[in-house]
Amino acid sequence: VQEQHKEAEVNDAETASDTGNSDYVIPDSSTRYLTNTDLTGLSEWQMRIARNEIYARHGRIFKSDDLADYYTPSVSADQFDNSYLNAIEIENLKLITAYEKAHNLNQ
């Protein structure tokens, strides 16, 4: 388990440069489970970036211009497979999406 965690940290460091933007809203969202406290106080834009940076770490190309300009991706949205995501990322996406819905953000 520790080896997997270290490997995830190394992969995150490597993919930070792949996204073209190393300014993550939540830099460790691929290695730890988030809570509502992590999301409290984020602007609507920051919330959107926090959700999409999980995908961007894996090179997903975004269809919306603002996200496409923010990241330098390599995998089209149509070809992106959620199997690229680890269990922590999947749970964090669920939490962020639920938080956005509950607070009427990015609808």
Side-chain angles (χ1 to χ4, degrees):
V1 174
Q2 286 181 337
E3 284 182 36
Q4 288 174 334
H5 182 71
K6 287 180 183 177
E7 183 178 318
E9 288 175 357
V10 169
N11 288 339
D12 283 348
E14 290 171 355
T15 56
S17 62
D18 293 343
T19 63
N21 191 326
S22 60
D23 296 328
Y24 288 117
V25 173
I26 306 174
D28 58 351
S29 64
S30 66
T31 59
R32 75 172 175 90
Y33 291 102
L34 301 178
T35 66
N36 283 334
T37 303
D38 294 308
L39 307 179
T40 301
L42 294 180
S43 70
E44 189 167 358
W45 171 251
Q46 288 172 314
M47 188 71 62
R48 186 166 185 214
I49 295 299
R51 176 171 31 91
N52 286 291
E53 69 192 8
I54 293 172
Y55 296 111
R57 283 189 184 101
H58 299 280
R60 186 181 187 276
I61 294 172
F62 297 96
K63 292 179 181 179
S64 64
D65 290 338
D66 59 343
L67 292 175
D69 290 344
Y70 194 79
Y71 299 110
T72 307
S74 60
V75 179
S76 73
D78 296 336
Q79 293 179 339
F80 188 85
D81 185 339
N82 280 353
S83 68
Y84 297 140
L85 307 175
N86 67 39
I88 293 172
E89 292 169 320
I90 291 168
E91 290 303 312
N92 287 341
L93 284 168
K94 289 178 186 176
L95 176 73
I96 293 169
T97 302
Y99 188 95
E100 286 177 310
K101 188 177 255 185
H103 293 86
N104 201 29
L105 301 170
N106 296 310
Q107 300 296 312

